[in-house]
Amino acid sequence: MESTNGAATLTVYVRRQEKPDATPAWEIFEVPHRPAMTVHMALLEIQARPRTADGNVTAPVAWEANCLEEVCGACTMVINGRVRQACTALVDRLEKPIRIEPMSKFPVVRDLVVDRSRMFEQMKQVKAWIPIDGTHALGPGPRYSQEEQERVYPLSRCMSCGCCLEACPQYGPGTPFVGAAALNWVRRFDAHPTGALNKGERLETVMGPGGVTDCGSAQLCAMVCPKEIPLLESIAVVARDTTIHAIKRWFGGE
Ligand code: SF4
Ligand code: SF4
Ligand code: FES
């Protein structure tokens, strides 16, 4: 942290990209340091005074944010080489200068904004929901005990941030692998008593190419998940369930 005229400043490198097909380039900013400052707050400072460290006026940096409390996942980006949320990354705990980049596994829209639609398409692919709508009243679903709710709750904390996909060596634009988040959604909705009614259908979506067998067990997904979801356990459960499902299907049981 430097000091200019008695006021502490931070040096922040931001990887800029004007549009999806533009060549990225780094810009350096000097940002006034504030108490309890997060990377999101540093970006707000740059937005208020978009001038590089060498005095050139530039376009304000584009990034996304919504909840500001690590719940929506919108502000996910790569900070000092590690994927995380800008709204909870305290600058005082980061090595300086701070380097901020967009996630690399999704197409860049502008600067730090990426298009995560692939992840939302995967949510549809694995049927990450419980079908409760019908043209008539479906009646009460199966009972759901407090113990079951508590067991499944950790799996439901996923905020679709994409950290696990950014860290995964098997996931990327050129590979069909659905990734850890989608496999956890399969486990989470299969574990619900009503969701279990569509378990076989859901398992079918991750049995072919790009499914659970494409996981290389590198375990990096679990290390970066900000919600500490037991992703490796979810992958193992889905792998086991798909095997059982395949055997039952083979013998005509499902
Ligand atoms: S265990 Fe490794 S290969 Fe499998 S989803 Fe996680 S990071 Fe990717
Ligand atoms: S599983 Fe964790 S890292 Fe992956 S999208 Fe969900 S919250 Fe983010
Ligand atoms: S703004 Fe929602 S997680 Fe950061």
Side-chain angles (χ1 to χ4, degrees), residues 116-211:
R116 288 182 296 166
S117 348
R118 182 177 172 195
M119 190 166 41
F120 300 114
E121 286 304 316
Q122 280 155 349
M123 202 177 251
K124 289 193 252 172
Q125 180 191 331
V126 302
K127 302 178 189 297
W129 61 79
I130 293 165
I132 52 167
D133 292 333
T135 53
H136 56 279
L138 297 175
R143 300 288 297 171
Y144 199 12
S145 71
Q146 184 67 34
E147 292 72 36
E148 278 176 298
Q149 287 177 36
E150 281 169 19
R151 190 170 50 79
V152 176
Y153 176 70
L155 311 178
S156 68
R157 289 191 307 229
C158 177
M159 57 177 171
S160 313
C161 63
C163 286
C164 56
L165 307 179
E166 176 69 17
C168 175
Q170 302 294 108
Y171 188 91
T175 67
F177 182 43
V178 290
L183 295 171
N184 180 66
W185 295 329
V186 170
R187 180 187 179 201
R188 183 252 178 279
F189 288 101
D190 282 356
H192 188 280
T194 307
L197 301 173
N198 300 86
K199 184 171 178 175
E201 206 184 329
R202 212 173 278 115
L203 290 172
E204 294 273 350
T205 67
V206 290
M207 284 173 70

Side-chain angles (χ1 to χ4, degrees), residues 168-170 177 180 215-221 232 235:
C168 175
Q170 302 294 108
F177 182 43
C215 168
S217 302
Q219 309 191 358
L220 298 170
C221 51
L232 302 179
I235 293 166

